[in-house]
Amino acid sequence: MNHRIQFLIVTILFLAAKSVVACECPEADYTVLGKFENARFVAIGRVTAVETSQAKVVIEKVYKGNLKVGQELIFGQGQSGTCFEDFATDEIGVKFLFYLQPKEKTPAVWYGDRCERTRPLPGFHTNHVSDAADDLAYLEKMDQVAGKTRISGTLISYQWLPTHGGADFKKVAATKVSLVGE
């Protein structure tokens, strides 16, 4: 193949390629208890309006923090490359579970962070892969069983690797765990 045709093909492929910016969540405790403890506010809110730059959410239930039932919050819309929730017009009426950690004491604009487990409640039609069913099962019983029957966390294996000059940490799944003692 001659060099001009190769150059043309490479140029077309380069121009046709789209850049992808994705949300990347930092290492943290992503269990329900971990997110609950790290959040300042945990609440269920219903999306009442969606615009290009913001969405309105009315609080319907509060698990943590001083939000009030019926209070309206303005949520900023997510932007490409952020982990903030981007509410769509077909999500008006959908209820979400929010774990909120605003930097300000009382923000004018709130953000639903996907890394903080912002998810729709079960039974609502959205484009989300997972919903808040597991979170709700935990949160609804939290007061009744506090300090009694629940263990929450992430099992991590630790292996020293001299070739890497340090330790390798990996999350472990499908592993039987035995608790011994009180």
Side-chain angles (χ1 to χ4, degrees):
M1 193 184 305
N2 96 27
H3 293 294
R4 287 184 185 171
I5 294 174
Q6 286 177 334
F7 178 76
L8 182 62
I9 290 172
V10 169
T11 303
I12 290 170
L13 290 174
F14 178 75
L15 294 173
K18 293 182 180 179
S19 64
V20 176
V21 181
C23 164
E24 185 174 323
C25 298
E27 280 294 317
D29 182 356
Y30 288 104
T31 63
V32 179
L33 179 60
K35 289 303 168 189
F36 181 85
E37 288 179 342
N38 289 325
R40 285 187 30 224
F41 307 93
V42 179
I44 291 174
R46 182 176 35 86
V47 178
T48 59
V50 175
E51 298 171 13
T52 305
S53 63
Q54 68 182 22
K56 293 180 182 177
V57 173
V58 173
I59 299 301
E60 294 195 349
K61 184 167 187 169
V62 178
Y63 292 99
K64 182 179 181 182
N66 61 356
L67 297 174
K68 305 288 184 230
V69 172
Q71 181 177 357
E72 183 178 77
L73 304 179
I74 305 298
F75 276 76
Q77 290 282 53
Q79 299 150 356
S80 179
T82 70
C83 296
F84 296 134
E85 191 61 48
D86 188 16
F87 300 98
T89 55
D90 63 351
E91 291 178 325
I92 293 174
V94 173
K95 294 179 185 181
F96 281 81
L97 175 62
F98 296 99
Y99 294 83
L100 302 168
Q101 294 187 45
K103 291 181 173 101
E104 304 88 14
K105 187 172 181 176
T106 53
V109 178
W110 298 73
Y111 288 92
D113 190 337
R114 291 182 200 129
C115 293
E116 302 304 325
R117 296 182 72 97
T118 292
R119 295 190 175 139
L121 269 58
F124 286 96
H125 176 70
T126 68
N127 292 325
H128 290 263
V129 174
S130 62
D131 63 29
D134 291 341
D135 296 58
L136 291 176
Y138 189 93
L139 293 170
E140 293 294 333
K141 301 260 184 196
M142 203 162 69
D143 289 342
Q144 299 167 12
V145 297
K148 295 179 185 177
T149 62
R150 294 197 175 194
I151 295 175
S152 176
T154 303
L155 188 60
I156 297 175
S157 77
Y158 165 87
Q159 185 176 9
W160 182 258
L161 298 172
T163 56
H164 293 298
D168 185 26
F169 297 91
K170 292 183 181 176
K171 290 183 181 178
V172 179
T175 301
K176 184 176 181 178
V177 176
S178 298
L179 301 174
V180 180
E182 295 185 35

